[in-house]
Amino acid sequence: MQAKRVKPNSTSTTLAFHARNREQQNTCVNVTVFESVHEPPASHLWPSAIVLARLVWHWRKRIKTAGTVIELGCGTGLPGLLVSKLQLGRHVVLTDQSQASLDLVRESIRRNGLKDVSTACLEWG
């Protein structure tokens, strides 16, 4: 399993998740996320999002649900986008309280060609 920045720039980052076992040597899933250096902190790709996405990738064979997966405080949406790409749920809802972040997430959804993902503004606290 590996996640690395393939094409970093100021607006988007593509992370590649690779299988490391012999039976799935050629398995690779790319996820592109949009981020902004000028928007709130939620609009940045945080190291914790990469760690959570790596956990999703590692446990992908055990994470199967017929229901909806909701990511709370998604920021750039990396873990939820990966869940959708791997088809680990019927539908994925990415939520955040920052409208700027959700605008970037919608662009990520479009860029990744995902159809079973929606966004929602969720304020807490």
Side-chain angles (χ1 to χ4, degrees):
M1 169 195 63
Q2 183 179 3
K4 62 180 179 177
R5 291 177 187 230
V6 177
K7 298 176 185 173
N9 63 41
S10 62
T11 59
S12 69
T13 300
T14 300
L15 290 99
F17 296 86
H18 300 275
R20 290 275 185 192
N21 58 33
R22 290 181 187 201
E23 58 203 37
Q24 293 183 351
Q25 258 181 332
N26 297 324
T27 301
C28 179
V29 174
N30 292 320
V31 180
T32 299
V33 294
F34 282 80
E35 52 186 324
S36 173
V37 294
H38 304 293
E39 296 298 332
S43 300
H44 304 285
L45 182 57
W46 286 69
S48 58
I50 295 172
V51 170
L52 183 55
R54 284 179 171 177
L55 286 170
V56 168
W57 177 254
H58 180 77
W59 294 106
R60 67 193 180 280
K61 292 183 181 180
R62 294 188 182 195
I63 305 174
K64 289 284 185 183
T65 179
T68 300
V69 175
I70 299 174
E71 184 178 353
L72 302 174
C74 70
T76 60
L78 175 62
L81 295 169
L82 182 60
V83 165
S84 178
K85 277 215 165 188
L86 295 173
Q87 300 176 336
L88 300 179
R90 186 184 71 224
H91 186 75
V92 177
V93 180
L94 302 175
T95 68
D96 204 286
Q97 62 183 353
S98 166
Q99 194 59 50
S101 289
L102 292 175
D103 290 343
L104 292 169
V105 168
R106 286 186 201 98
E107 181 60 27
S108 296
I109 292 168
R110 187 191 67 73
R111 178 69 67 92
N112 286 285
L114 301 173
K115 304 293 183 204
D116 60 345
V117 183
S118 60
T119 62
C121 187
L122 180 64
E123 293 190 30
W124 59 87

